[in-house]
Structure formats: C-alpha cells, structure tokens
Amino acid sequence: MKRQKILVIEDEPDILEVIEYNLARDGFRVVTARDGDAGLRLARAELPDAVVLDLMLPGIDGLEICRRLRADDVTRTLPIVMVTAKGEEADIVVGLGIGADDYLTKPFSPRELVARVRAVLRRAQPQAARTGDDRLEFAGLVIDRARHEVLVRGDPVTFTPTELRLLHFLGAHPGRVLTRDQLLSRAIGEHAVVLDRNIDVHVRSIRKKLGAERERLETVRGVGYRFRDDQD
Ligand code: CA
C-alpha cells in the first residue's frame, strides 16, 4: 500500500511543524509550503492526495488558492481541508461554497486534524481503488498491474508494459487531468522500459486496444488526458 501524500500550506512555522509531525507520525508523506505561490506550484507538481490549507496566508490567500485549485483540471478533485482562525466563519462558508471539502477552526487538536484528513481521503477514494492498488476494476474494464492483465468487457487484451503502466496510472486517478509531463515522470519515468517517450503515441495505441471502452481515455486539449470513471 503506497503512503499517501499530503500537502500542507501554512505560514505559521509552529503550526506547520505540529501538523507536519502528526501527519508524518500517522504514516503520511508530507510536503509543505509557507505561502500561496509555493503551495499552488506544489499542488500541480507533487500530485498530493489531499491538501491542508490555511486561509490567512501572505500573498495569495487560502480562498483564492482554493478557487484556483478547483479551476485547474489537474487539481480539480483534490480533497481540501481548510484551516481557519476563530471569527472567520464567513470565509468558511465561502470556502465550502467554492469547493473545500472540510474545515477546522484553530486551535484544533492534531488528532482531530488527522481524522479529518483521513475522512476526506476516504470520501475521495475512487470505488475502483478500494480493491487494491494493483488491480483496478471499472464497469467493463479491469486493469491488473501485478498480473499484467487487462480485461475489456471480459476479454483479455495484450498491452505493452509501458501502455499498461500508463493506463493503470490514469485509471488510479479517475476524473483527474494528468499532463503529459506528469504521465512521463510518474507513470513511465521510474522504469527503464521506455521505448518511446511520446505519450500521445502510447495513448493512441491504448485507445485502439480498449475498443468499446475507448471513451474512458479523454483528451483534454492543450493539457493532457483524463480517465473517465463511471460516475463522470
Ligand atoms: Ca496563517
């Protein structure tokens, strides 16, 4: 089971340290940012599983970050837990309205924070991923990385190792737009099986092999690709 990665955007060093320590102790990988610009950059570059977002930040504030994360196809479905100071109730309402998943009011207990993060992760977890990291099951499509097997409407179809990695990576992030760079570095980069680093060529081939399920791989013009889950 891979460790989930949490991005924490918080400018107060003491609070940041407490959050980071407690998430790490609970088994999460943690990346941190002290201001909005760095936070937005890391959200795109690191593909975290969730974000803990302080509202009052220097530069771009938390609400604007939330807005931008939701407007960006790469981070659109990223779970967000807002952290607010007392007296920011109006901001909480706005934040939830623009897509934050939950919030905590300072001061909060570290246990409470970890519990909230776990809750948004559970809610965000795609149905398919619950059957295990290696095997993803969708209606009409099974992607099994460990057994190197893809079933399209019950029929086994042969995929190259690179194609299988790409398809599995896309399928593990349903609904999220992944850029070509992300697909290269995350799905292919760490493995030496790359024959052709042109993602589009691989995707074309994958689509062909998916046959009746080809619509699952959606092209997002100028950005990359998105795997469509059944709820889409
Ligand atoms: Ca702050």
Short mmCIF file of all heavy atoms in Angstrom, two decimals, residues 2 134 145-146 148 160-169 182-197 199 202:
data_model
loop_
_atom_site.label_atom_id
_atom_site.label_comp_id
_atom_site.label_asym_id
_atom_site.label_seq_id
_atom_site.Cartn_x
_atom_site.Cartn_y
_atom_site.Cartn_z
N LYS A 2 0.69 2.11 -0.96
CA LYS A 2 1.57 3.27 -1.01
C LYS A 2 1.14 4.30 0.02
O LYS A 2 -0.03 4.41 0.34
CB LYS A 2 1.57 3.87 -2.42
CG LYS A 2 0.55 4.98 -2.66
CD LYS A 2 0.70 5.51 -4.06
CE LYS A 2 -0.56 6.21 -4.52
NZ LYS A 2 -0.95 7.41 -3.83
N ASP A 134 -2.99 -2.58 -7.07
CA ASP A 134 -2.56 -3.16 -8.34
C ASP A 134 -3.71 -3.47 -9.28
O ASP A 134 -3.56 -3.41 -10.48
CB ASP A 134 -1.76 -4.45 -8.09
CG ASP A 134 -0.34 -4.14 -7.67
OD1 ASP A 134 0.15 -3.05 -8.02
OD2 ASP A 134 0.27 -4.96 -6.98
N ARG A 145 -2.20 -4.64 -12.72
CA ARG A 145 -0.79 -4.38 -12.97
C ARG A 145 0.08 -5.56 -12.54
O ARG A 145 1.04 -5.93 -13.19
CB ARG A 145 -0.39 -3.11 -12.21
CG ARG A 145 0.97 -2.58 -12.54
CD ARG A 145 1.19 -1.24 -11.89
NE ARG A 145 0.87 -1.27 -10.45
CZ ARG A 145 0.96 -0.24 -9.63
NH1 ARG A 145 1.34 0.92 -10.11
NH2 ARG A 145 0.66 -0.35 -8.37
N ALA A 146 -0.29 -6.14 -11.41
CA ALA A 146 0.53 -7.24 -10.87
C ALA A 146 0.51 -8.46 -11.79
O ALA A 146 1.53 -9.10 -12.00
CB ALA A 146 0.05 -7.61 -9.47
N HIS A 148 -0.26 -8.33 -14.91
CA HIS A 148 -0.09 -7.84 -16.28
C HIS A 148 -1.27 -8.29 -17.14
O HIS A 148 -1.13 -8.98 -18.16
CB HIS A 148 1.22 -8.32 -16.90
CG HIS A 148 1.59 -7.52 -18.13
ND1 HIS A 148 2.37 -6.40 -18.07
CD2 HIS A 148 1.21 -7.65 -19.42
CE1 HIS A 148 2.49 -5.88 -19.30
NE2 HIS A 148 1.78 -6.63 -20.13
N THR A 160 1.45 -3.51 -23.94
CA THR A 160 2.89 -3.47 -23.65
C THR A 160 3.06 -3.00 -22.21
O THR A 160 2.15 -2.39 -21.63
CB THR A 160 3.63 -2.48 -24.57
OG1 THR A 160 3.21 -1.16 -24.23
CG2 THR A 160 3.33 -2.76 -26.05
N PRO A 161 4.22 -3.28 -21.60
CA PRO A 161 4.44 -2.82 -20.22
C PRO A 161 4.23 -1.31 -20.06
O PRO A 161 3.65 -0.86 -19.07
CB PRO A 161 5.90 -3.20 -19.96
CG PRO A 161 6.15 -4.37 -20.86
CD PRO A 161 5.34 -4.11 -22.10
N THR A 162 4.71 -0.52 -21.02
CA THR A 162 4.54 0.93 -20.94
C THR A 162 3.07 1.32 -21.02
O THR A 162 2.59 2.16 -20.25
CB THR A 162 5.33 1.64 -22.06
OG1 THR A 162 6.71 1.31 -21.92
CG2 THR A 162 5.17 3.15 -21.97
N GLU A 163 2.36 0.72 -21.93
CA GLU A 163 0.93 1.01 -22.06
C GLU A 163 0.17 0.65 -20.79
O GLU A 163 -0.70 1.39 -20.33
CB GLU A 163 0.34 0.23 -23.24
CG GLU A 163 0.79 0.73 -24.60
CD GLU A 163 0.47 -0.25 -25.72
OE1 GLU A 163 -0.03 -1.36 -25.42
OE2 GLU A 163 0.72 0.10 -26.88
N LEU A 164 0.53 -0.48 -20.22
CA LEU A 164 -0.15 -0.93 -19.01
C LEU A 164 0.11 0.04 -17.86
O LEU A 164 -0.79 0.38 -17.10
CB LEU A 164 0.30 -2.34 -18.64
CG LEU A 164 -0.44 -2.97 -17.45
CD1 LEU A 164 -1.91 -3.16 -17.77
CD2 LEU A 164 0.18 -4.30 -17.06
N ARG A 165 1.37 0.49 -17.74
CA ARG A 165 1.70 1.46 -16.69
C ARG A 165 0.90 2.75 -16.85
O ARG A 165 0.37 3.30 -15.89
CB ARG A 165 3.19 1.81 -16.73
CG ARG A 165 4.04 0.71 -16.27
CD ARG A 165 5.37 1.17 -15.72
NE ARG A 165 5.99 0.03 -15.09
CZ ARG A 165 5.70 -0.36 -13.87
NH1 ARG A 165 4.87 0.32 -13.12
NH2 ARG A 165 6.26 -1.44 -13.37
N LEU A 166 0.85 3.23 -18.08
CA LEU A 166 0.12 4.47 -18.35
C LEU A 166 -1.36 4.31 -18.04
O LEU A 166 -1.96 5.14 -17.36
CB LEU A 166 0.27 4.84 -19.83
CG LEU A 166 1.47 5.69 -20.20
CD1 LEU A 166 1.51 5.88 -21.71
CD2 LEU A 166 1.37 7.05 -19.50
N LEU A 167 -1.94 3.24 -18.54
CA LEU A 167 -3.37 3.01 -18.33
C LEU A 167 -3.68 2.85 -16.84
O LEU A 167 -4.66 3.39 -16.33
CB LEU A 167 -3.81 1.76 -19.11
CG LEU A 167 -5.29 1.39 -18.98
CD1 LEU A 167 -6.18 2.51 -19.52
CD2 LEU A 167 -5.58 0.08 -19.72
N HIS A 168 -2.81 2.13 -16.13
CA HIS A 168 -3.03 1.92 -14.71
C HIS A 168 -2.92 3.25 -13.95
O HIS A 168 -3.73 3.54 -13.08
CB HIS A 168 -2.02 0.92 -14.15
CG HIS A 168 -2.27 0.56 -12.72
ND1 HIS A 168 -1.84 1.34 -11.68
CD2 HIS A 168 -2.96 -0.47 -12.17
CE1 HIS A 168 -2.23 0.79 -10.54
NE2 HIS A 168 -2.91 -0.30 -10.81
N PHE A 169 -1.93 4.05 -14.32
CA PHE A 169 -1.75 5.34 -13.63
C PHE A 169 -2.95 6.25 -13.87
O PHE A 169 -3.46 6.89 -12.95
CB PHE A 169 -0.46 6.02 -14.13
CG PHE A 169 -0.08 7.24 -13.35
CD1 PHE A 169 0.39 7.14 -12.06
CD2 PHE A 169 -0.21 8.50 -13.92
CE1 PHE A 169 0.74 8.28 -11.34
CE2 PHE A 169 0.14 9.64 -13.21
CZ PHE A 169 0.61 9.52 -11.92
N GLN A 182 3.44 14.84 -16.33
CA GLN A 182 3.14 14.01 -15.17
C GLN A 182 3.09 12.54 -15.55
O GLN A 182 3.59 11.68 -14.82
CB GLN A 182 1.80 14.42 -14.54
CG GLN A 182 1.90 15.73 -13.77
CD GLN A 182 0.55 16.29 -13.43
OE1 GLN A 182 -0.45 15.98 -14.08
NE2 GLN A 182 0.50 17.13 -12.42
N LEU A 183 2.50 12.27 -16.70
CA LEU A 183 2.42 10.88 -17.14
C LEU A 183 3.82 10.33 -17.41
O LEU A 183 4.12 9.19 -17.06
CB LEU A 183 1.55 10.77 -18.39
CG LEU A 183 0.06 11.00 -18.13
CD1 LEU A 183 -0.70 11.16 -19.44
CD2 LEU A 183 -0.53 9.85 -17.33
N LEU A 184 4.65 11.15 -18.01
CA LEU A 184 6.02 10.72 -18.30
C LEU A 184 6.80 10.43 -17.03
O LEU A 184 7.42 9.38 -16.88
CB LEU A 184 6.75 11.80 -19.09
CG LEU A 184 6.80 11.65 -20.60
CD1 LEU A 184 7.51 12.84 -21.22
CD2 LEU A 184 7.51 10.35 -20.99
N SER A 185 6.75 11.39 -16.10
CA SER A 185 7.60 11.25 -14.92
C SER A 185 7.04 10.27 -13.91
O SER A 185 7.78 9.53 -13.26
CB SER A 185 7.83 12.60 -14.26
OG SER A 185 6.61 13.14 -13.84
N ARG A 186 5.72 10.22 -13.77
CA ARG A 186 5.13 9.39 -12.73
C ARG A 186 4.81 7.98 -13.21
O ARG A 186 4.97 7.02 -12.46
CB ARG A 186 3.87 10.04 -12.18
CG ARG A 186 4.11 11.41 -11.58
CD ARG A 186 4.87 11.29 -10.27
NE ARG A 186 4.09 10.54 -9.30
CZ ARG A 186 3.17 11.06 -8.53
NH1 ARG A 186 2.91 12.34 -8.56
NH2 ARG A 186 2.51 10.30 -7.69
N ALA A 187 4.34 7.85 -14.43
CA ALA A 187 3.91 6.53 -14.87
C ALA A 187 5.03 5.79 -15.57
O ALA A 187 5.11 4.57 -15.52
CB ALA A 187 2.71 6.66 -15.79
N ILE A 188 5.90 6.52 -16.21
CA ILE A 188 6.92 5.87 -17.03
C ILE A 188 8.31 6.11 -16.48
O ILE A 188 9.14 5.22 -16.44
CB ILE A 188 6.85 6.39 -18.49
CG1 ILE A 188 5.54 5.97 -19.12
CG2 ILE A 188 8.03 5.86 -19.28
CD1 ILE A 188 5.42 6.32 -20.58
N GLY A 189 8.58 7.34 -16.02
CA GLY A 189 9.92 7.79 -15.71
C GLY A 189 10.75 6.87 -14.85
O GLY A 189 11.95 6.71 -15.09
N GLU A 190 10.11 6.26 -13.84
CA GLU A 190 10.89 5.48 -12.89
C GLU A 190 11.24 4.09 -13.42
O GLU A 190 11.94 3.34 -12.78
CB GLU A 190 10.13 5.39 -11.57
CG GLU A 190 8.77 4.80 -11.73
CD GLU A 190 7.81 5.26 -10.61
OE1 GLU A 190 7.24 6.36 -10.71
OE2 GLU A 190 7.64 4.51 -9.67
N HIS A 191 10.75 3.78 -14.61
CA HIS A 191 11.01 2.44 -15.14
C HIS A 191 11.79 2.52 -16.44
O HIS A 191 11.65 3.46 -17.20
CB HIS A 191 9.69 1.71 -15.35
CG HIS A 191 8.89 1.62 -14.10
ND1 HIS A 191 9.12 0.69 -13.14
CD2 HIS A 191 7.91 2.43 -13.64
CE1 HIS A 191 8.30 0.89 -12.13
NE2 HIS A 191 7.54 1.94 -12.40
N ALA A 192 12.59 1.54 -16.65
CA ALA A 192 13.51 1.58 -17.79
C ALA A 192 12.92 0.97 -19.05
O ALA A 192 13.64 0.62 -19.96
CB ALA A 192 14.81 0.89 -17.42
N VAL A 193 11.62 0.85 -19.09
CA VAL A 193 11.02 0.15 -20.23
C VAL A 193 10.61 1.10 -21.35
O VAL A 193 9.98 0.69 -22.30
CB VAL A 193 9.77 -0.64 -19.80
CG1 VAL A 193 10.17 -1.79 -18.90
CG2 VAL A 193 8.78 0.26 -19.10
N VAL A 194 10.99 2.36 -21.20
CA VAL A 194 10.52 3.34 -22.17
C VAL A 194 11.18 3.16 -23.52
O VAL A 194 12.39 3.27 -23.67
CB VAL A 194 10.80 4.77 -21.68
CG1 VAL A 194 10.11 5.76 -22.60
CG2 VAL A 194 10.34 4.94 -20.27
N LEU A 195 10.38 2.90 -24.51
CA LEU A 195 10.91 2.81 -25.87
C LEU A 195 10.62 4.10 -26.61
O LEU A 195 11.39 4.59 -27.39
CB LEU A 195 10.27 1.64 -26.61
CG LEU A 195 10.48 0.29 -25.95
CD1 LEU A 195 9.65 -0.78 -26.65
CD2 LEU A 195 11.96 -0.09 -25.99
N ASP A 196 9.49 4.65 -26.28
CA ASP A 196 9.06 5.86 -26.98
C ASP A 196 8.50 6.80 -25.93
O ASP A 196 7.54 6.49 -25.25
CB ASP A 196 7.99 5.50 -28.02
CG ASP A 196 7.62 6.69 -28.87
OD1 ASP A 196 7.97 7.84 -28.49
OD2 ASP A 196 6.99 6.48 -29.91
N ARG A 197 9.12 7.96 -25.77
CA ARG A 197 8.68 8.89 -24.74
C ARG A 197 7.55 9.79 -25.22
O ARG A 197 7.16 10.72 -24.52
CB ARG A 197 9.86 9.71 -24.23
CG ARG A 197 10.87 8.84 -23.50
CD ARG A 197 12.03 9.65 -22.96
NE ARG A 197 11.62 10.53 -21.87
CZ ARG A 197 11.50 10.15 -20.61
NH1 ARG A 197 11.70 8.91 -20.28
NH2 ARG A 197 11.16 11.02 -19.69
N ILE A 199 4.06 10.40 -25.34
CA ILE A 199 2.85 9.93 -24.65
C ILE A 199 1.69 9.74 -25.62
O ILE A 199 0.93 8.77 -25.54
CB ILE A 199 2.45 10.94 -23.55
CG1 ILE A 199 3.48 10.91 -22.41
CG2 ILE A 199 1.06 10.64 -23.01
CD1 ILE A 199 3.45 9.67 -21.58
N HIS A 202 1.56 6.40 -27.29
CA HIS A 202 1.10 5.34 -26.40
C HIS A 202 -0.41 5.41 -26.21
O HIS A 202 -1.10 4.39 -26.23
CB HIS A 202 1.78 5.46 -25.03
CG HIS A 202 3.25 5.18 -25.08
ND1 HIS A 202 3.78 4.01 -25.54
CD2 HIS A 202 4.31 5.94 -24.72
CE1 HIS A 202 5.10 4.05 -25.47
NE2 HIS A 202 5.44 5.23 -24.97
#
